């Protein structure tokens, strides 16, 4: 033995009280110093980049005008209640659409991954559905449904455009999300299915208890991503005349000839989407950590 | 006393009072070990005694909570140590073979040689084929791993670890996923390595194998090495009551 740290003779139990050895304390000191150095480098580089940006923008010739027309704080506070009120509609539609998309896309994904012969026609329809709506721009679908359905005059009273617009969003997004879920289902290794079936679980039970839990866990990060995108895209139904936050900002801007409402609306979106994005990152890290735990013996 | 200590040379691997906890669970509490060059150390012990954890600490897959792990005299636990460089010189083979399923056998073996060590394609493949031949796998070079038997896959995993000419090989229960016939295939591969003088640390449940290859057998229990010595001492004539109890149960299970 070259040296014996303070934990007692080599190979003997260290007992209930454990005192870190000099070597370990030294390592901790080094790690702390490394952490400090990393933090310092991050702080300095952030300061240089952000400071540089502020300097360049703030000293530019047009800045006073830009500040007045885009970042008018007083005007921003004035219009905040109006925009918040409009943004509430975005949030409500977002939640409704998310739930509906969840259900519809799950049905589509299950249909497309099913193997039973009886479901062949449904499988075909689901494939056509996904092909069509994944390939058509959302804006066009909104126009087609928003203007096309009323023209059919199916009901006595006209269907509100909010409903039509949201339906268009749901239909389009369900196609995307279904494909994400389907890829998750397909990524579960066949041996998992075989293991479950060999335990006597039925086809449906295998799906419900073994395949789907693994598949969904795997696609949570991309789904959260779609959820963020959905919040932004719900605003597109403003083209049908729905006064949600983007439309409201547009109205205010056209009255005041000041672009601050757009900036305030952007901030409202960010307040919701940034925490969601952070959450996505956290989920991703957790997923990766779990995979690492399984990865080696 | 093991061979290296007699010779007085720097051992390839030396562990001094290594401690490892998972939360409040102290898995290793003061494990010391000396592995001289060209020697084979075998770790035995019940399931959960920390054999895999010890090997993972050596390869820096886990960070130790205390103690020293000296690899060729260099402390691998030092935060300033270059982990990639250390791992390049330590080969490790796991119980689950962990071959890359999307690559042919030959590409599995040459990947690190070419991308990490900068060996040219032709030379890397020549070296891989030579090694595959020695482990009777020459005809499998162009196959994908899922076309091989478990024993073949495990031998490919060994060849893959060997290809970069490591200084030290770690084996973690390389045979527990295999049937007895395949076990022999893999064990004779390890014996072949021993005859070439490879320095190895092996965790295993195969006592017969341990007896054949080990220079030193260490019995791990409760986070410490209870007993160590030659196979004759530890496996045939254990002194420590825990070692005796463990070996008695192994014998009952018919693994000795
Ligand atoms: N990542 C981890 N997190 C928490 N505890 C762990 C982790 N890895 C291992 N352990 C614990 O450490 C202990 C030792 O595990 P280890 O895998 O080293 O045992 P082993 O001797 O290799 O057993 P086996 O012979 O079954 O392979 C076990 O009690 C285990 O529960
Ligand atoms: Mg193990």
């Amino acid at each position: 033995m070259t040296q014996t740290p303070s934990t007692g003779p080599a190979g003997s139990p260290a007992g209930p009280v454990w005192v870190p050895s000099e070597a370990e304390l030294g390592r901790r000191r080094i790690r702390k110093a490394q952490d400090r150095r990393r933090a310092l480098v991050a702080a300095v580089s952030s300061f240089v980049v952000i400071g540089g940006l502020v300097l360049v923008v703030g000293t530019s010739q047009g800045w006073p005008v830009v500040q007045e027309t885009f970042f008018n704080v007083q005007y921003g506070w004035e219009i905040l209640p109006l925009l918040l009120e409009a943004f509430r509609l975005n949030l409500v539609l977002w939640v409704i659409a998310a739930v509906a998309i969840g259900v519809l896309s799950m049905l589509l994904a299950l249909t497309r991954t099913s193997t039973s012969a009886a479901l062949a026609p449904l499988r075909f329809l689901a494939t056509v559905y996904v092909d069509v709506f994944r390939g058509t721009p959302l804006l066009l679908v909104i126009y087609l449904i928003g203007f096309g359905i009323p023209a059919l005059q199916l009901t006595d009273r006209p269907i509100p455009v909010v409903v039509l617009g949201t339906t268009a969003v749901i239909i389009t997004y369900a196609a995307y999300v279904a494909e994400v879920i389907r890829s998750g289902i397909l990524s579960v290794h066949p041996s998992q299915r075989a293991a479950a079936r060999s335990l006597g679980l039925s086809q449906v039970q295998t799906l419900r208890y073994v395949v789907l839990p693994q598949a969904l866990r795997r696609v949570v990060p991309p789904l959260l991503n779609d959820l963020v995108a959905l919040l932004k895209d719900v605003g597109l139904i403003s083209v049908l005349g729905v006064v949600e936050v983007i439309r409201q900002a547009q109205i205010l801007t056209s009255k005041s000839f000041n672009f601050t409402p757009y900036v305030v609306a952007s901030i409202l979106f960010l307040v919701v989407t940034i925490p969601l994005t952070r959450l996505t990152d956290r989920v991703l890290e957790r997923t990766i950590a779990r995979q690492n735990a399984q990865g080696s013996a | 006393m093991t061979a290296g200590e007699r010779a007085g040379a720097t051992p390839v691997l030396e562990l001094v009072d290594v401690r490892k906890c998972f939360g409040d669970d102290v898995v290793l509490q003061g494990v010391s070990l000396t592995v001289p060059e060209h020697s084979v150390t075998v770790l035995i012990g019940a399931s959960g005694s920390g054999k895999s954890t010890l090997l993972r600490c050596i390869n820096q897959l886990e960070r130790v909570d205390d103690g020293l792990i000296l690899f060729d005299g260099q402390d691998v636990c030092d935060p300033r140590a270059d982990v990639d460089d250390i791992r390049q010189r330590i080969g490790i083979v796991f119980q689950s073979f962990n071959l890359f399923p999307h690559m042919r056998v030959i590409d599995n073996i040459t990947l690190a040689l070419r991308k990490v060590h900068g060996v040219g394609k032709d030379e890397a493949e020549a070296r891989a084929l030579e090694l595959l031949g020695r482990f009777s796998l020459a005809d499998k070079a162009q196959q994908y791993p899922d076309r091989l038997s478990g024993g073949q896959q495990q031998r490919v995993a060994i060849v893959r670890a060997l290809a970069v000419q490591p200084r030290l090989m770690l084996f973690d229960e390389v045979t527990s996923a295999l049937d007895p016939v395949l076990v022999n295939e893999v064990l004779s591969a390890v014996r072949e390595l021993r005859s070439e003088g490879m320095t190895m640390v092996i965790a295993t449940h195969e006592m017969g194998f341990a007896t054949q290859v080990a220079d030193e057998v260490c019995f791990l229990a409760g986070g410490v090495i209870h007993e160590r010595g030659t196979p004759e001492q530890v496996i045939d004539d254990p002194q420590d009551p825990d070692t005796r109890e463990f070996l008695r149960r192994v014998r009952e299970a018919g693994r000795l």
Side-chain angles (χ1 to χ4, degrees):
Chain A
M1 297 298 117
T2 47
Q3 65 185 107
T4 309
S6 63
T7 42
S12 77
V17 200
W18 164 64
V19 187
S21 68
E22 266 315 305
E24 174 62 19
L25 290 175
R27 287 201 285 259
R28 286 183 196 171
R29 272 195 298 276
I30 293 171
R31 276 189 205 114
K32 207 171 273 168
Q34 284 177 338
D35 287 348
R36 263 201 305 273
R37 196 168 326 130
R38 266 194 286 271
L40 188 70
V41 170
V44 168
S45 66
S46 310
F47 181 79
V48 168
V49 170
I50 296 173
L53 270 176
V54 168
L55 209 69
V56 168
V57 172
T59 57
S60 70
Q61 231 178 8
W63 174 244
V65 181
V66 170
Q67 188 178 24
E68 171 53 29
T69 44
F70 282 86
F71 301 98
N72 189 325
V73 176
Q74 197 204 337
Y75 179 48
W77 278 115
E78 261 169 48
I79 54 166
L80 184 62
L82 264 177
L83 289 175
L84 265 179
E85 178 60 31
F87 191 52
R88 224 182 51 197
L89 180 63
N90 291 66
L91 291 179
V92 169
L93 295 182
W94 181 44
V95 172
I96 294 173
V99 172
I101 291 165
V103 174
L104 186 55
S105 61
M106 182 60 89
L107 288 176
L108 282 167
L110 289 179
T111 310
R112 287 205 69 190
T113 51
S114 70
T115 47
S116 95
L119 289 178
L122 271 181
R123 209 156 40 235
F124 175 72
L125 284 179
T127 309
V128 171
Y129 177 100
V130 168
D131 281 355
V132 168
F133 287 105
R134 213 174 40 159
T136 317
L138 175 57
L139 198 54
L140 281 182
V141 179
I142 292 176
Y143 277 133
L144 289 174
I145 293 187
F147 297 127
I149 301 282
L152 291 177
Q153 299 186 333
L154 294 169
T155 49
D156 296 341
R157 263 181 296 149
I159 307 171
V161 278
V162 187
V163 176
L164 291 171
T166 312
T167 308
V169 174
I170 291 169
I171 288 175
T172 306
Y173 260 77
Y176 286 115
V177 173
E179 284 304 280
V180 173
I181 295 177
R182 187 171 77 103
S183 69
I185 291 175
L186 294 180
S187 76
V188 176
H189 199 268
S191 62
Q192 289 289 306
R193 238 174 238 269
R197 292 309 297 280
S198 69
L199 289 171
L201 268 66
S202 73
Q203 190 100 246
V204 174
Q205 285 171 326
T206 300
L207 199 60
R208 161 80 182 76
Y209 295 108
V210 178
V211 176
L212 276 185
Q214 299 185 53
L216 291 182
R217 203 163 295 158
R218 232 168 268 180
V219 296
V220 162
L223 288 185
L224 281 172
N225 211 12
D226 283 341
L227 196 60
V228 171
L230 176 65
L231 174 60
K232 298 181 295 173
D233 283 351
V234 160
L236 280 179
I237 67 172
S238 62
V239 297
L240 298 178
V242 178
V243 183
E244 46 67 67
V245 71
I246 301 176
R247 183 89 189 105
Q248 182 64 269
Q250 214 171 16
I251 294 170
L252 289 167
T253 299
S254 63
K255 276 191 209 149
S256 63
F257 297 106
N258 187 302
F259 292 101
T260 305
Y262 285 139
V263 175
V264 175
S266 307
I267 293 172
L268 289 179
F269 276 104
L270 288 176
V271 165
V272 179
T273 54
I274 288 180
L276 255 178
T277 317
R278 286 286 78 80
L279 177 71
T280 313
D281 287 354
R282 284 260 294 285
V283 171
L284 253 179
E285 272 161 26
R286 269 227 318 272
T287 316
I288 290 169
R290 196 172 16 234
Q291 274 167 358
N292 281 349
Q294 293 167 350
S296 41
Chain B
M1 277 283 134
T2 46
E5 276 172 288
R6 272 194 303 274
T10 312
V12 172
L13 182 72
E14 182 163 14
L15 274 59
V16 185
D17 259 344
V18 168
R19 181 185 173 87
K20 174 70 198 173
C21 320
F22 288 110
D24 291 337
D25 186 8
V26 187
V27 177
L28 302 175
Q29 43 178 339
V31 170
S32 298
L33 196 65
T34 306
V35 182
E37 191 160 15
H38 307 308
S39 77
V40 178
T41 301
V42 171
L43 303 170
I44 59 172
S47 207
S49 56
K51 304 182 293 294
S52 301
T53 305
L54 188 63
L55 295 180
R56 292 168 60 84
C57 285
I58 294 171
N59 202 24
Q60 290 294 291
L61 290 168
E62 302 280 358
R63 180 199 280 182
V64 301
D65 291 296
D66 202 348
L68 294 174
I69 299 181
L70 302 170
F71 176 51
D72 274 335
Q74 179 198 6
D75 183 9
V76 301
C77 308
D78 190 313
R80 292 163 298 190
D82 180 352
V83 180
D84 285 338
D85 175 64
I86 292 161
R87 290 201 188 128
Q88 277 172 33
R89 291 180 286 141
I90 302 180
I92 185 161
V93 183
F94 299 102
Q95 174 178 342
S96 49
F97 328 123
N98 299 346
L99 293 178
F100 307 125
H102 61 295
M103 291 182 181
R104 291 171 308 157
V105 164
I106 188 95
D107 301 322
N108 260 281
I109 297 169
T110 54
L111 179 69
L113 268 179
R114 292 171 56 193
K115 303 299 170 192
V116 181
H117 296 260
V119 178
K121 186 171 177 346
D122 292 338
E123 194 195 331
E125 296 201 339
R127 215 193 278 182
L129 284 173
E130 193 258 325
L131 276 171
L132 283 170
R134 262 175 37 206
F135 291 92
S136 351
L137 289 163
D139 52 331
K140 304 294 179 197
Q142 304 302 324
Q143 299 275 13
Y144 282 89
D146 61 355
R147 307 294 291 276
L148 304 184
S149 76
Q152 290 164 344
Q153 289 188 42
Q154 189 59 292
R155 281 182 291 152
V156 171
I158 294 175
V159 169
R160 183 175 68 177
L162 277 177
V164 297
Q165 298 172 329
R167 193 78 181 114
L168 171 70
M169 284 285 283
L170 309 175
F171 291 93
D172 190 4
E173 291 177 39
V174 286
T175 56
S176 27
L178 305 174
D179 76 48
V181 180
L182 301 183
V183 164
N184 279 329
E185 276 181 14
V186 173
L187 295 188
S188 61
V190 177
R191 271 192 295 269
E192 154 98 12
L193 283 183
R194 175 190 155 78
S195 69
E196 287 168 18
M198 176 61 78
T199 312
M200 296 185 272
V201 180
I202 301 171
T204 187
H205 288 294
E206 304 281 337
M207 296 306 149
F209 170 62
T211 309
Q212 289 170 28
V213 299
D215 291 304
E216 183 175 57
V217 176
C218 299
F219 172 64
L220 204 59
V224 295
I225 295 179
H226 271 235
E227 187 161 0
R228 66 177 86 209
T230 61
E232 292 76 31
Q233 289 166 350
V234 178
I235 295 179
D236 301 335
D237 183 24
Q239 302 301 313
D240 181 273
D242 289 325
T243 318
R244 282 188 186 168
E245 172 63 16
F246 171 71
L247 287 167
R248 189 183 61 72
R249 278 188 281 134
V250 171
R251 235 171 241 119
E252 267 173 17
R255 308 254 327 233
L256 191 69

